[in-house]
Amino acid sequence: MRKPRGAIVPEPEFFRRDTVTVAKELIGHYLYIEKKGKRIGGRIVETEAYLSCDDPACHASRGLTERNRTMFSAGGVAYVYFIYGAHHCLNIVTGPEGEGTAVLVRAIEPLEGIETMRRNRRGIEDIHNLANGPGKLTIAMGIDRKDDGADLMKSHMRVYLDPEVLKHGVDVVTTTRIGINQAAEKPLRFYLKGSKFISRK
DNA sequence: CGGGGGATTACCT
DNA sequence: GGTAATCCCCCGA
C-alpha cells in the first residue's frame, strides 16, 4: 500500500504492549484498507480493550478455540469475527503471542475513499454516520472474515501512526464498554474528546 | 448434531 | 423503545 504522506509504519512492539495502553494510544492514528489500488479509511476515534482471561466479556476468556484462534497471535494482526448473523467486527490483536488480548475498533473519522464508503453503506450521505460503530465501520471499509489475520504492518490493511499525535498526544475520554453484559462496568472504552465521529457519548 | 447466545444495525411504531 | 435480520461457533448430549 502506498503510504499516506508523513505517516509512520508502527514497529511490532507498538502492538505487543498492554492492551489498555494500545487501545488508548491508537486513538488519533490511522486505519486504512486498500481495495483495487485505492486507499479507504481514516482516523481511529473510538476503541475498546478486551483483556483475555481476566475479562469474561472477551472471546478469549475461555481459552483458544477455532473461532478466536487469531486473537492469540502476536500483536499487530487483525482479528475479524461475525456477530448477530449480520455484522463483522474488526479487532487489533495486542500483547505477545498466546495472550489473547485485542482492541475493538468501534469508529473512524473517514478521510479517504469517502465516496466508496457511501456506496458500501448503501447511499448514506452523512459523513458522521458512515463508520461510527463497529458494524458500520466494517461495512463502509468492506472488511469481512477474509481479512482475518491480516498483518497491519505489511498487508492490504494497515495501521499508520500520525507523527503529530505521537509528538503532542490527543485528549482521550475513558468510559465503559458498549453492548456487553459481562464486566460491563469496567472503564475500557476510549474515544477522541470532542469527535463528531464516535458511535455515542 | 441441535440449541442458544452474541463486542450490531436499521426500521418500525 | 422494541425487534427482526440471519450466521458462526461453542456447548451439551
Side-chain angles (χ1 to χ4, degrees):
Chain A
M1 185 189 300
R2 181 177 49 95
K3 197 172 71 158
R5 185 183 172 80
I8 294 171
V9 178
E11 296 297 318
E13 289 69 30
F14 178 87
F15 298 104
R16 292 174 192 171
R17 297 174 296 159
D18 169 74
T19 312
V20 172
T21 303
V22 179
K24 269 187 217 167
E25 290 198 11
L26 277 170
I27 301 291
H29 293 299
Y30 303 108
L31 174 71
Y32 286 109
I33 189 166
E34 190 165 74
K35 299 257 181 187
K36 297 174 185 169
K38 202 170 180 321
R39 254 196 333 254
I40 304 170
R43 190 182 302 278
I44 298 170
V45 296
E46 180 179 346
T47 61
E48 286 179 1
Y50 284 84
L51 305 179
S52 193
C53 39
D54 298 334
D55 182 2
C58 177
H59 288 179
S61 65
R62 287 183 198 139
L64 194 153
T65 65
E66 198 43 45
R67 182 198 198 192
N68 65 27
R69 193 172 49 82
T70 312
M71 223 176 157
F72 288 84
S73 307
V77 302
Y79 167 51
V80 181
Y81 70 92
F82 197 67
I83 193 72
Y84 295 127
H87 303 286
H88 294 275
C89 290
L90 169 68
N91 295 257
I92 294 171
V93 177
T94 57
E97 183 173 3
E99 185 174 85
T101 59
V103 172
L104 172 69
V105 183
R106 288 191 55 90
I108 65 165
E109 172 185 344
L111 295 175
E112 290 194 45
I114 292 168
E115 288 312 313
T116 304
M117 292 196 216
R118 287 197 172 112
R119 276 198 303 279
N120 290 343
R121 293 274 287 126
R122 295 172 165 263
I124 285 179
E125 285 293 319
D126 182 3
I127 194 169
H128 302 104
N129 190 27
L130 283 180
N132 60 331
K136 297 178 187 180
L137 182 155
T138 54
I139 296 167
M141 294 181 68
I143 293 168
D144 60 32
R145 275 194 63 77
K146 74 179 179 315
D147 301 306
D148 186 50
D151 187 321
L152 297 169
M153 294 161 285
K154 306 178 183 164
S155 73
H156 64 292
M157 185 158 57
R158 304 270 184 113
V159 167
Y160 288 111
L161 304 181
D162 180 335
E164 290 302 304
V165 173
L166 286 178
K167 194 169 177 183
H168 304 293
V170 291
D171 283 337
V172 175
V173 179
T174 301
T175 58
T176 52
R177 294 178 292 185
I178 292 173
I180 59 171
N181 300 308
Q182 308 269 332
E185 77 294 344
K186 290 179 186 284
L188 295 173
R189 172 174 175 251
F190 309 99
Y191 64 84
L192 181 61
K193 186 175 182 181
S195 173
K196 293 178 166 60
F197 297 88
I198 60 176
S199 61
R200 57 187 245 203
K201 287 277 178 194

